[in-house]
Amino acid sequence: MSAANARAVTRGVVFVHSTPAALCPHIGWALESVLGAAAPIEWIKQPVEPGTVRTELSWMGEPGTGAKLASALRGWVDVRYEVTEEPSPGCDGSRWSHTPSLGIHHTMTAASGDAVVGEDRLRASLAASKGDPELFREEMAELLGTAWDQELEPFRYAGEGAPVRWLHRVS
């Protein structure tokens, strides 16, 4: 394959922080449909929310796969999840976070994993705050997804040491 025909590849992780067990097969099918490969997902109990389970799934695929995975999971209100996609040539990294109470939030990310806020979004937040420092802090918290991070942090911590599976997108 020539360099001109080579496809860019990136990677990321799907973290399903909590879901009712009844949704597990449906989540697996949704992820498999995006990745084009079987997803041997191992579900484990989520101690933060009894009665739910969690999993992590690392993936490799074309840039944009993270958005497709996040879209495939969107709509299940009882599911807490995050999807990450690392930056790749010509593409920013991203993180999509979803909680039942807040819905979905998208953040562009740098190679270090830090949130990146675009100039236009900063200008809009500055204008919306009308010079009020407290309103500007609230605008920044929204842009950075602070409420999502606060809600998901206990679920993230509960996942330390959990097994991770790698899946490759079939092209």
Side-chain angles (χ1 to χ4, degrees), residues 17 44-50 52-54 154-155 158-159:
H17 294 297
I44 59 174
K45 290 180 182 179
Q46 173 51 272
V48 175
E49 187 176 29
T52 65
V53 293
R54 66 170 322 284
F155 294 88

Side-chain angles (χ1 to χ4, degrees), residues 139-154:
E139 288 284 329
M140 289 300 97
E142 175 71 23
L143 285 177
L144 296 173
T146 301
W148 285 263
D149 284 338
Q150 289 172 341
E151 187 171 328
L152 290 172
E153 193 59 29

Side-chain angles (χ1 to χ4, degrees), residues 76-100:
W76 286 314
V77 294
D78 293 334
V79 181
R80 282 180 184 82
Y81 65 88
E82 290 180 279
V83 177
T84 66
E85 179 171 316
E86 293 181 3
S88 57
C91 297
D92 295 320
S94 287
R95 180 178 64 240
W96 295 264
S97 305
H98 179 270
T99 74

Side-chain angles (χ1 to χ4, degrees), residues 60-73:
M60 290 179 67
E62 295 176 5
T65 300
K68 292 175 184 174
L69 290 164
S71 292
L73 295 175

Side-chain angles (χ1 to χ4, degrees), residues 1-156:
M1 179 182 296
S2 71
N5 293 334
R7 290 185 174 169
V9 176
T10 189
R11 67 170 106 204
V13 181
V14 175
F15 301 93
V16 178
H17 294 297
S18 70
T19 184
L23 291 179
C24 293
H26 303 283
I27 291 170
W29 297 327
L31 298 176
E32 288 174 353
S33 72
V34 171
L35 296 169
I41 299 172
E42 183 178 336
W43 296 94
I44 59 174
K45 290 180 182 179
Q46 173 51 272
V48 175
E49 187 176 29
T52 65
V53 293
R54 66 170 322 284
T55 194
E56 295 178 15
L57 181 72
S58 295
W59 58 270
M60 290 179 67
E62 295 176 5
T65 300
K68 292 175 184 174
L69 290 164
S71 292
L73 295 175
R74 193 171 185 173
W76 286 314
V77 294
D78 293 334
V79 181
R80 282 180 184 82
Y81 65 88
E82 290 180 279
V83 177
T84 66
E85 179 171 316
E86 293 181 3
S88 57
C91 297
D92 295 320
S94 287
R95 180 178 64 240
W96 295 264
S97 305
H98 179 270
T99 74
S101 64
L102 298 170
I104 196 162
H105 183 270
H106 174 253
T107 304
M108 293 186 311
T109 57
S112 63
D114 291 339
V116 176
V117 178
E119 178 182 342
D120 290 341
R121 292 181 78 187
L122 282 173
R123 289 181 193 282
S125 292
L126 188 57
S129 69
K130 300 176 182 168
D132 181 329
E134 184 56 35
L135 284 176
F136 187 67
R137 276 192 286 280
E138 290 172 13
E139 288 284 329
M140 289 300 97
E142 175 71 23
L143 285 177
L144 296 173
T146 301
W148 285 263
D149 284 338
Q150 289 172 341
E151 187 171 328
L152 290 172
E153 193 59 29
F155 294 88
R156 292 173 182 148

